[in-house]
Amino acid sequence: MKPFTFSKPENLGKALSIKKDTVQFIAGGTNLLDLMKKNIAGPDAVLDITTALSSKIEQQGKGVRIGAMVRNSAITTDKTILSKYPLVAKAVLAGASPQIRNMASTAGNLLQRTRCPYFYDITTPCNKRKPGSGCSAINGENRMNAIVGYNEQCVAVHPSDLCVALAALDATVATTDKNKKQLSIPFKDFHKLPGDTPQLDNNLPANAIITSVDIAENPFSKNFYYLKLRDRDSYAFALVSVAAALHLQDNHIADARLASGGVAHKPWRWYEAEQYLKGKAPSASTFSAAADIVIKDVKPLSNNGFKKSMLRGAVETALQNCLTA
Amino acid sequence: MNGKQSYSRRFFLKTSGALAVLAAIPASVKALYNEAKNFIVPPKQTFPLPVSINKKMYKVTVDTRTTLLDLLREDLHLTGTKKGCDHGQCGACTVHVDGERVLSCLTLAAMLPGKEVTTIEGLADGEKLHPMQQAFIECDGFQCGYCTPGQIMSAVACVKEGHTSSVAEIKEFMSGNLCRCGAYNGIVESIQKVAK
């Protein structure tokens, strides 16, 4: 690990005034420290912002505001989250281990890097780690990689479970920079596709910081499900995951949300399938047709063709489980 | 001027000047070397760290890069906490910080002031083992023993958190601790025994 200076700014203003590209904020550290040990991240200075950021879950208008420093485990036990946004708690519980959930922060979860094996192996080319060096995964070991939204520059997937639920519920990400300029970014625009800048995972402005994640009031607290399929039953990253939520009225689907993890460079929303579900009766044939819409534009890589049928089954199962959960 | 004077003023100036130059060269070369070294390899940063472990205050001077795991094992010689993968994938290094289970390999020691760390060494009450330690012995909760300190620290937290209603729930909430020997059944039994 490269040596660095360490300090703990007493407040956010101070932290932001010192922040530059060679300076890293540390919250939970569960991803950053790992990246520093592997010499993928090498900041000159590390700023402990654990007390500068909010670790409260508060009511915000008719919705909820999750402070950037709220630990993942706190989300899973919070009464408001469990009663009004249970999909979020369910997704968090599907990720990592109890130890890591006790450490990891909400904002850090959004900002975690991909677990593509070539990103982690500094002896191989990787456009995300070293722009312009090439993508080793596109013709390499890519069974864990993307099946949609990728390009020849990068086929990595975003590893978060929490973010899949936040994408499904149209959360917003509140950010601020050193000039106290605040920006609210809709969740669907927070993470980005690789494009020509695969080294960037998201649209967080340079040297800005996430202060909270906000979720508006929504009707998806009754019929929802988070399904995560992976190589082992727990403590593994998703091959594919599906967050499904239905708003049922008079035995019809008034509104639907469908999002996936493990399939793209960002948490992926299946808008077309959601549109299809609206107004239909919740039945096995409706769900099957929606699953067909989900997989129609999916283009697996050389080693992850299995993800297509796996995703189809996962969407069907998640939607079915919305009715019984 | 008389013959007794053996060194001329000129000779003195020349020699002392040359000596000064000779003395100056190694220093500047050394400085240049250090500057170049610091440019290529940044110097390590150390700082004084007050930290409370098992209710005992320690004051150590450590590198900013030190993880809690290395602090425990290398600086304080509390080797009960084990290093497995050092990347947060195995759980062998599990300890409690402020009563909650965390991975010491992914915890920066510099972030610990003001917090209380509990390791496997701090679990027993004098000679009397913690109920979970006793249960692991009685239920065959280990074979080689390497993952055991982490398993026990995690198990104690698992019971405290109340995730013991079924075998499935125990397994889910113990999934962050791997055991290569496969002592999982004994570990689950130990937890059930203590949770009763």
Side-chain angles (χ1 to χ4, degrees):
Chain A
M1 201 190 297
K2 204 180 99 182
F4 55 84
T5 60
F6 178 88
S7 61
K8 188 174 185 177
E10 60 265 35
N11 57 52
L12 207 52
K14 185 98 176 119
L16 283 163
S17 71
I18 321 170
K19 178 75 172 82
K20 51 184 179 181
D21 288 348
T22 53
V23 176
Q24 266 287 350
F25 294 132
I26 189 166
T30 54
N31 192 208
L32 179 64
L33 223 51
D34 195 22
L35 294 168
M36 285 164 68
K37 285 182 183 187
K38 300 234 180 196
N39 285 318
I40 297 164
D44 292 339
V46 171
L47 306 181
D48 176 351
I49 37 92
T50 49
T51 48
L53 288 168
S54 161
S55 48
K56 284 193 191 127
I57 299 177
E58 304 167 295
Q59 188 151 351
Q60 168 84 1
K62 284 190 168 177
V64 72
R65 165 158 281 188
I66 304 171
M69 199 49 228
V70 171
R71 310 274 178 181
N72 285 188
S73 53
I75 291 179
T76 67
T77 53
D78 182 78
K79 283 196 179 99
T80 310
I81 300 286
L82 287 172
S83 62
K84 294 172 84 177
Y85 315 93
L87 176 64
V88 177
K90 185 117 168 121
V92 171
L93 280 173
S97 69
Q99 289 98 313
I100 292 174
R101 293 196 293 266
N102 276 341
M103 304 166 74
S105 69
T106 300
N109 186 297
L110 269 60
L111 299 174
Q112 66 180 307
R113 309 301 310 270
T114 183
R115 265 43 172 215
C116 177
Y118 300 102
F119 176 71
Y120 265 78
D121 180 356
I122 59 167
T123 64
T124 61
C126 169
N127 285 326
K128 186 175 278 303
R129 180 168 29 76
K130 199 174 174 213
S133 62
C135 174
S136 303
I138 196 158
N139 293 311
E141 178 47 64
N142 53 31
R143 66 183 290 277
M144 299 287 289
N145 291 70
I147 52 173
V148 67
Y150 59 84
N151 63 15
E152 66 290 342
Q153 295 210 42
C154 183
V155 295
V157 296
H158 194 264
S160 167
D161 291 294
L162 167 63
C163 290
V164 179
L166 293 175
L169 296 178
D170 278 334
T172 51
V173 184
T175 72
T176 184
D177 68 8
K178 69 176 70 182
N179 301 319
K180 291 188 178 166
K181 193 182 160 210
Q182 300 192 349
L183 199 63
S184 252
I185 308 172
F187 209 84
K188 67 178 171 54
D189 301 326
F190 184 77
H191 295 97
K192 61 182 268 299
L193 291 179
D196 289 331
T197 50
Q199 71 275 22
L200 301 175
D201 302 338
N202 55 63
N203 294 314
L204 180 68
N207 298 317
I209 195 167
I210 297 173
T211 53
S212 71
V213 172
D214 305 337
I215 315 173
E217 186 183 34
N218 63 63
F220 299 111
S221 61
K222 274 205 189 91
N223 300 101
F224 65 91
Y225 202 76
Y226 189 77
L227 180 67
K228 184 177 182 183
L229 300 175
R230 40 188 160 170
D231 285 334
R232 62 180 177 207
D233 241 8
S234 182
Y235 200 20
F237 289 101
L239 290 165
V240 301
S241 69
V242 175
L246 299 175
H247 177 210
L248 299 177
Q249 266 179 338
D250 310 323
N251 207 28
H252 275 77
I253 300 168
D255 201 359
R257 298 289 168 84
L258 211 48
S260 279
V263 299
H265 196 261
K266 60 185 278 188
W268 196 258
R269 276 282 289 275
W270 304 106
Y271 291 110
E272 199 184 332
E274 288 177 10
Q275 278 305 321
Y276 171 82
L277 286 165
K278 275 181 205 172
K280 305 268 188 325
S283 69
S285 61
T286 306
F287 296 156
S288 177
D292 281 332
I293 294 171
V294 162
I295 59 159
K296 81 178 162 57
D297 296 324
V298 155
K299 289 188 177 59
L301 301 164
S302 52
N303 273 314
N304 64 7
F306 69 93
K307 279 196 181 187
K308 192 167 176 175
S309 52
M310 184 180 256
L311 176 64
R312 196 194 175 287
V315 169
E316 251 188 306
T317 309
L319 286 168
Q320 285 285 0
N321 285 346
C322 284
L323 304 180
T324 50
Chain B
M1 289 282 181
N2 60 47
K4 279 182 184 172
Q5 191 167 357
S6 43
Y7 304 112
S8 70
R9 180 182 157 90
R10 178 164 296 173
F11 176 82
F12 175 78
L13 285 175
K14 271 186 178 171
T15 342
S16 57
L19 279 171
V21 168
L22 272 174
I25 286 173
S28 63
V29 166
K30 205 177 165 192
L32 188 71
Y33 166 76
N34 276 335
E35 216 167 277
K37 189 181 138 197
N38 289 350
F39 182 74
I40 300 161
V41 188
K44 71 173 182 182
Q45 308 279 339
T46 57
F47 69 106
L49 174 74
V51 59
S52 177
I53 293 158
N54 300 326
K55 292 178 182 150
K56 187 178 165 192
M57 273 307 289
Y58 294 86
K59 265 191 185 141
V60 277
T61 299
V62 294
D63 191 314
T64 49
R65 294 171 290 181
T66 311
T67 59
L68 172 54
L69 177 59
D70 287 340
L71 175 78
L72 292 171
R73 294 183 56 85
E74 308 296 330
D75 296 283
L76 306 177
H77 305 295
L78 293 167
T79 53
T81 307
K82 301 296 183 230
K83 183 181 275 195
C85 67
D86 207 25
H87 286 282
Q89 296 173 4
C90 75
C93 68
T94 303
V95 298
H96 296 176
V97 172
D98 286 346
E100 292 198 322
R101 50 175 156 168
V102 301
L103 298 176
S104 60
C105 77
L106 292 182
T107 301
L108 218 46
M111 294 169 80
L112 290 171
K115 293 183 175 155
E116 174 64 31
V117 179
T118 309
T119 70
I120 190 76
E121 288 93 343
L123 222 48
D125 181 9
E127 288 298 301
K128 194 169 175 284
L129 291 179
H130 184 281
M132 191 61 79
Q133 291 173 308
Q134 193 60 43
F136 264 65
I137 293 169
E138 286 164 12
C139 303
D140 261 346
F142 56 90
Q143 287 176 43
C144 86
Y146 196 81
C147 73
T148 312
Q151 296 281 2
I152 291 177
M153 295 311 284
S154 208
V156 168
C158 185
V159 172
K160 190 184 142 222
E161 293 159 11
H163 294 303
T164 57
S165 67
S166 66
V167 170
E169 191 184 19
I170 292 173
K171 285 185 174 176
E172 173 60 35
F173 282 87
M174 287 296 291
S175 71
N177 293 80
L178 306 190
C179 169
R180 287 304 304 269
C181 301
Y184 294 114
N185 290 341
I187 293 167
V188 171
E189 265 180 56
S190 308
I191 293 170
Q192 285 177 311
K193 191 169 188 166
V194 175
K196 265 180 196 163

